[in-house]
Amino acid sequence: MTWTDEELVARSISGDSDSFNELVLRWERPIYALAYRTIGREEDARDVCQETFLRAFRALPGFRGQAKFSSWLYRIALNLCRDWMRRERRAQVVQPPEDVDLLELAAAAEPSESIEDLVARKDLTRLVERAMALLPAEQRTAIVLKEYHGLTFQEIAELVGCPLSTVKTRLYQGLIVLRRELAKNTKATL
Amino acid sequence: MTESFCGYSGDRDEALIGFLYDDVTGEPAGRALFETHLETCARCQDEIAALRVVRKQLARWSPPEPGFAVTSRQAAVAGPQVGQPSWWREIPAWAQVAAALLFLGVSAGLANLDVRYDRNGLSVRTGWLKTPSQPGLATAISAVPIAPAAVAPSGGPAEPWRADLAVLERQLKAELRAMQLSAATIAARPQPVRATADADVLRRARALLDESEKRQQRELALRVAEVMRDVNLQRQADLVKIDRYVGAVESKVGVEVLKNRQKMNQMDILYRTSQRQ
């Protein structure tokens, strides 16, 4: 018999650890994928994934089912990703000034890229990964949640805590940047 | 890129993205309006097409396979997963072949298969009844590959099928016994065969390991020799530099000493001259 997430949550709260294991098995990959696509580093994504389930386990007794379990889990993971990104930004030696466009910088840096970078650019996966890394965190999160997790605009808005129209705008702007970056890099590799 | 004018009256970006993802949360009317607009707007058509291409490219981005620390612990709890190899895959190939042969043998026995090669050619018969004496009933394989089951003679004077049935029963029992015996023999026998196979694999693995170890040692020796050579070269270069530097310092010091001596001589001369005066 297949239990729903909510049933498994209820069983976990009442002390059935196998039910929580089942939830982990069910949601581990989506959470890892979300973390990886948001922060772009495998090791850190794995850490975020584990931490997400750890926090979820601790906070499970307080989960009242106001939202879907998956949304609740996504929110924990996104918060952890945001914390991670903040930490990383603080650790950066040089902060780009407010008025500097990172995309312009990236474009200017292209001629000096290494052979390895050149080879890696032939792989579309890498291209997408790099283009995604150029996006502001909000746009990237919106695209990841919509594109890879199939959430509705409404669900994304609730998850990240912003108006519906903002979600759409972030998505549109993000896609436009990706379009430009992917077109530029694809031409360069031909 | 098309730079044509777009005269959409609403929020174009939002409508476009809603149309692209087919997600019209809260504004179904907006979609209808945008669809009508899209029919005549080349700019929006181009943009939708381009963004669809982007989405296709995005779909090819998959995260690397994680070696989950969380699920590795869970795997034992979760039990067998979909897509895991079946239990029979764990049985060695030779045992599977033996089982297949046994099955074929038993099947042939049960089917009372009679394969004969004589001057009439190869003939294959099946059936439980005795082979009829008439050669016509058994068809040579050159004519028909496999002969149909021999037809039971019907309506014999002393109901011969009873005797045949008794024979069949005995034969069936004997074959079942034989099958059980064979299965028991196979179950008892795999150890030496497996041990031989394991020893063979172990031997090959050891040979590979030895070879790999030797290769690594050779590489290490080569690297060490290279490092030593580099260090020596660098040392020699440094010594030459130091020599040059020391030489330069010495010559500078020597010049200074000479100058000082000259000055002291001059002062000495001046002093003596002044004392004489």
Side-chain angles (χ1 to χ4, degrees):
Chain A
M1 180 180 174
T2 310
W3 303 93
T4 64
D5 284 350
E6 282 64 34
E7 285 167 340
L8 287 171
V9 167
R11 291 168 67 90
S12 303
I13 292 172
S14 62
D16 180 12
S17 61
D18 284 352
S19 294
F20 190 74
N21 286 343
E22 180 62 35
L23 284 169
V24 173
L25 282 172
R26 195 175 285 183
W27 286 102
E28 190 173 40
R29 271 172 194 279
I31 294 296
Y32 165 77
L34 172 71
Y36 178 79
R37 290 190 176 112
T38 308
I39 62 186
R41 290 196 203 177
E42 196 181 341
E43 281 292 315
D44 296 319
R46 233 172 9 222
D47 289 349
V48 164
C49 182
Q50 287 188 349
E51 185 65 23
T52 301
F53 285 105
L54 203 65
R55 289 199 182 185
F57 185 73
R58 284 186 198 137
L60 210 55
F63 178 69
R64 298 274 172 258
Q66 313 91 320
K68 280 199 298 185
F69 175 73
S70 57
S71 304
W72 184 65
L73 213 54
Y74 276 142
R75 185 172 293 128
I76 296 174
L78 282 176
N79 284 339
L80 285 168
C81 288
R82 202 171 49 212
D83 291 348
W84 183 90
M85 284 189 283
R86 275 194 200 132
R87 272 202 309 273
E88 283 299 295
R89 208 174 296 148
R90 210 179 299 144
Q92 278 175 358
V93 181
V94 181
Q95 283 275 3
E98 287 290 316
D99 54 342
V100 170
D101 186 355
L102 285 174
L103 297 180
E104 297 292 331
L105 277 181
E110 263 183 20
S112 63
E113 67 185 345
S114 64
I115 298 290
E116 292 90 279
D117 286 346
L118 212 65
V119 172
R121 287 205 312 152
K122 291 186 178 174
D123 190 342
L124 184 60
T125 299
R126 296 275 178 104
L127 285 181
V128 172
E129 205 168 317
R130 288 171 63 184
M132 287 288 279
L134 292 171
L135 296 180
E138 300 80 27
Q139 291 177 11
R140 190 163 63 239
T141 304
I143 289 177
V144 167
L145 290 173
K146 185 70 194 169
E147 199 65 52
Y148 301 104
H149 297 268
L151 269 63
T152 63
F153 295 135
Q154 188 62 48
E155 284 170 331
I156 298 173
E158 284 165 11
L159 207 58
V160 297
C162 70
L164 194 76
S165 59
T166 310
V167 172
K168 289 183 183 177
T169 308
R170 284 176 182 173
L171 257 165
Y172 178 76
Q173 287 173 348
L175 285 179
I176 293 298
V177 173
L178 287 178
R179 176 189 170 189
R180 193 174 65 207
E181 284 303 303
L182 289 171
K184 190 167 66 184
N185 288 329
T186 312
K187 268 181 209 160
T189 51
L190 290 177
Chain B
M1 189 185 212
T2 313
E3 291 297 334
S4 54
F5 176 74
C6 172
Y8 184 65
S9 53
D11 190 323
R12 178 178 174 275
D13 299 351
E14 283 186 29
L16 196 141
I17 213 78
F19 179 83
L20 185 71
Y21 284 102
D22 196 19
D23 184 346
V24 285
T25 324
E27 47 171 350
R31 181 184 170 105
L33 189 67
F34 185 74
E35 274 178 351
T36 315
H37 162 77
L38 196 62
E39 286 168 9
T40 54
C41 179
R43 188 179 163 195
C44 288
Q45 285 170 7
D46 285 350
E47 193 151 7
I48 290 279
L51 292 181
R52 279 187 177 143
V53 172
V54 173
R55 289 196 65 198
K56 270 186 190 165
Q57 289 175 312
L58 286 178
R60 290 180 56 183
W61 182 33
S62 52
E65 270 302 303
F68 280 128
V70 185
T71 33
S72 57
R73 191 167 47 78
Q74 317 285 336
V77 181
Q81 297 287 305
V82 178
Q84 273 187 345
S86 317
W87 60 271
W88 57 268
R89 286 184 191 276
E90 288 167 14
I91 299 173
W94 61 265
Q96 290 185 36
V97 170
L101 286 175
L102 177 68
F103 175 74
L104 282 175
V106 170
S107 304
L110 287 173
N112 201 12
L113 204 63
D114 180 20
V115 182
R116 191 171 294 171
Y117 184 73
D118 52 21
R119 61 191 170 141
N120 295 326
L122 181 67
S123 59
V124 180
R125 287 195 195 88
T126 181
W128 289 107
L129 300 173
K130 294 285 177 197
T131 311
S133 55
Q134 301 93 321
L137 280 177
T139 314
I141 201 161
S142 53
V144 180
I146 296 174
V151 181
S154 57
E159 291 183 330
W161 59 269
R162 282 187 189 279
D164 289 338
L165 202 61
V167 170
L168 167 65
E169 194 181 349
R170 277 199 301 277
Q171 198 173 352
L172 207 58
K173 281 178 180 168
E175 277 166 2
L176 276 172
R177 269 198 303 276
M179 192 168 69
Q180 282 167 351
L181 269 174
S182 305
T185 315
I186 285 174
R189 220 185 305 170
Q191 292 310 322
V193 180
R194 170 171 266 185
T196 317
D198 286 351
D200 190 36
V201 169
L202 207 62
R203 203 165 42 246
R204 270 188 280 166
R206 275 192 190 138
L208 283 171
L209 276 174
D210 286 346
E211 198 183 323
S212 161
E213 202 175 333
K214 278 178 192 164
R215 198 169 51 240
Q216 282 179 2
Q217 279 173 351
R218 277 200 301 275
E219 279 177 14
L220 184 66
L222 194 70
R223 289 282 151 81
V224 169
E226 281 175 359
V227 169
M228 291 294 288
R229 192 195 58 201
D230 290 348
V231 167
N232 275 332
L233 283 172
Q234 189 61 43
R235 192 168 140 264
Q236 282 170 1
D238 289 346
L239 282 173
V240 170
K241 271 186 196 169
I242 291 168
D243 261 2
R244 278 186 199 153
Y245 182 71
V246 170
V249 169
E250 274 178 352
S251 64
K252 271 185 188 173
V253 170
V255 170
E256 288 297 318
V257 168
L258 278 173
K259 281 180 184 172
N260 284 341
R261 271 185 194 164
Q262 279 176 355
K263 279 179 187 169
M264 282 175 74
N265 285 341
Q266 285 170 356
M267 282 173 71
D268 192 37
I269 290 164
L270 283 171
Y271 176 70
R272 280 180 192 166
T273 315
S274 67
Q275 275 202 338
R276 273 180 212 154
Q277 284 174 355

